[in-house]
Amino acid sequence: MNFEWITIPKIEDYRGNIAVLEKDTLPFEMKRVYYLFDVPSTAKRGGHAHKAQLELLIPLSGSFDVVIKNGATEQTVTLNKPDKGLLIKANTWRELENFSSGSVCLVISSGEFLESDYIRDYEDYLSYIT
């Protein structure tokens, strides 16, 4: 599959932990940051692939599932630890679902928003990667 887990460095303290994202933590230069919140548990987000951009998804609160497809295989992973991020590489279809109450998904992207980088139809995605 075209993804990998990224362990985010953390500082443990009896008063609470701190996770740290710095330039050397990310495998790409950060160009855009956004987050999803108040997503109903029955809703689905994502449903697209990027031609060039990489994205790191981090569950800041709660949990959600990410369905990853590459045209040949499909895998569902659960994100539920704020010190574990999921790096989704280019040309990888993703769907986010099963959001728990109060979940927040932070997304760090290697590129600024560019509509031409998106593939929003799964059949178009399959044509693009073959």
Side-chain angles (χ1 to χ4, degrees):
M1 284 307 228
N2 211 12
F3 69 87
E4 65 182 81
W5 290 102
I6 302 290
T7 299
I8 299 163
K10 68 179 175 180
I11 301 166
E12 296 186 61
D13 188 292
Y14 72 92
R15 300 168 295 170
N17 299 331
I18 299 172
V20 180
L21 286 170
E22 295 181 323
K23 185 173 148 180
D24 295 339
T25 307
L26 300 173
F28 56 82
E29 183 181 350
M30 182 184 332
K31 297 283 181 124
R32 179 170 56 130
V33 176
Y34 62 94
Y35 50 96
L36 307 171
F37 63 101
D38 291 342
V39 179
S41 61
T42 57
K44 294 186 179 194
R45 298 298 313 239
H48 65 267
H50 287 284
K51 297 174 184 175
Q53 291 185 26
L54 307 174
E55 290 188 329
L56 179 64
L57 281 59
I58 302 170
L60 294 184
S61 178
S63 65
F64 52 90
D65 293 335
V66 181
V67 180
I68 307 280
K69 301 177 184 180
N70 66 7
T73 60
E74 177 178 318
Q75 185 173 349
T76 301
V77 296
T78 300
L79 278 70
N80 59 8
K81 296 181 180 178
D83 63 338
K84 301 283 186 225
L86 184 69
L87 175 66
I88 302 177
K89 299 179 182 175
N91 298 317
T92 304
W93 188 266
R94 84 288 314 272
E95 299 167 359
L96 285 69
E97 61 187 23
N98 196 27
F99 287 83
S100 69
S101 178
S103 62
V104 178
C105 172
L106 177 71
V107 182
I108 301 171
S109 181
S110 67
E112 296 178 1
F113 178 81
L114 185 61
E115 184 60 38
S116 62
D117 186 59
Y118 283 77
I119 305 171
R120 296 188 184 273
D121 179 82
Y122 191 67
E123 294 302 318
D124 291 344
Y125 167 72
L126 293 176
S127 296
Y128 182 80
I129 62 170
T130 55

